[in-house]
Amino acid sequence: MRKLLTLFTSLLLLVSCEKEIDINYHEIEPIVVIEGRVTNEGTEVSVRHTRSVDDSVKSASLPGASISVFDEGEEHRLTYDSKDGCYRSDLKGTPGHSYRMTADFEGKHYEATSVMPAPSSIISTNFYWFKVLEERLLVDVMWATDPNPEERNYFMYRIDRHSSNPHITPKMQSRAYRWNVFDDRGNPPGRVVRDIHCVMERTVKDDKEEDWDQILYDGDTIMLQLMTIDLPAYEYFRTLFSGQGSGANPIGNISGGCLGYFMAAGITHADTVVFRLNDVSDFAATEQ
């Protein structure tokens, strides 16, 4: 895995040719986007419309939808929270339960189902420098439990950070710093390990304004969460991640003609830490 990390990152360092291409985008009617999840921490759903490809402002969740989530047949109605524009319920997910979401909005009906996997548990998370040619890459190495080693399991991690850089705007601070999905293939029995690529050391030293949202600064607050997800959710986020920048729509699991996803997931959190650059050491392989 370390060899693959080095190879992948080395390719990113190679200089490539760039050519400006003018693309004529054609406008289409807005499409409904539903994003919903049931977790061990609660239930929430957002309803939005797609926006123009040249519009970088994320739209607020829209009121007026009728949304229910069924837990093994028992209905839970969601209510709209006007403060953050989200539909919520106090329903907390149970591993092994099947959940069905129904949503009626603007005269159309949408449905999706998801089964909640057993949650994982984060064992450790530490920052290291990985040597890549003559450079060093900052990596957060996360070890966690594999809840069902005899079966294929799917995971999604997310790092949020609150930056100590006074020039970073609240909007930049509120975005996920790093996220992706993976499965447990190639991991040791009962364990999963993930190398989360953060930033090149050269980028940290140069400290250019265009890189501020990528750089971890001394005093940044780091929050890492890991979710166990089912296969449809994994496929949605896998295709979303791989299609970033291309405009391709991810593979959703909601019927009725909308975009988006619905998933039941188990969430676990690592302890919140304050990042200290001087505490980061060079990586040496260890067993967990």
Side-chain angles (χ1 to χ4, degrees), residues 88-105:
R88 299 187 186 279
S89 166
D90 58 3
L91 169 65
K92 295 183 178 180
T94 302
H97 281 208
S98 177
Y99 295 91
R100 179 170 65 95
M101 179 197 71
T102 64
D104 292 280
F105 183 64

Side-chain angles (χ1 to χ4, degrees), residues 166-233:
H167 301 292
I168 293 182
T169 64
K171 181 180 178 181
M172 292 170 65
Q173 290 175 342
S174 64
R175 294 184 303 176
Y177 174 71
R178 293 288 182 267
W179 71 271
N180 206 342
V181 293
F182 63 100
D183 61 40
D184 57 3
R185 286 177 291 182
N187 284 272
R191 296 286 188 269
V192 291
V193 58
R194 196 67 181 175
D195 297 339
I196 304 173
H197 299 192
C198 295
V199 63
M200 298 301 297
E201 184 179 29
R202 180 172 54 186
T203 303
V204 176
K205 291 180 178 179
D206 291 344
D207 196 22
K208 296 179 180 178
E209 181 177 352
E210 61 265 28
D211 297 322
W212 283 349
D213 61 339
Q214 303 298 317
I215 298 172
L216 292 183
Y217 293 92
D218 258 23
D220 283 5
T221 303
I222 308 297
M223 297 150 286
L224 170 65
Q225 65 175 247
L226 179 67
M227 288 189 284
T228 49
I229 59 179
D230 62 4
L231 179 58

Side-chain angles (χ1 to χ4, degrees), residues 73-100:
E74 181 181 352
E75 183 178 10
H76 297 260
R77 295 292 300 271
L78 277 65
T79 57
Y80 183 73
D81 185 346
S82 58
K83 290 183 179 179
D84 60 3
C86 193
Y87 297 83
R88 299 187 186 279
S89 166
D90 58 3
L91 169 65
K92 295 183 178 180
T94 302
H97 281 208
S98 177
Y99 295 91
R100 179 170 65 95

Side-chain angles (χ1 to χ4, degrees), residues 162-165 216-222 273-277:
H162 181 81
S163 181
S164 60
N165 184 339
L216 292 183
Y217 293 92
D218 258 23
D220 283 5
T221 303
I222 308 297
V273 300
V274 176
F275 179 76
R276 298 298 180 192
L277 191 62

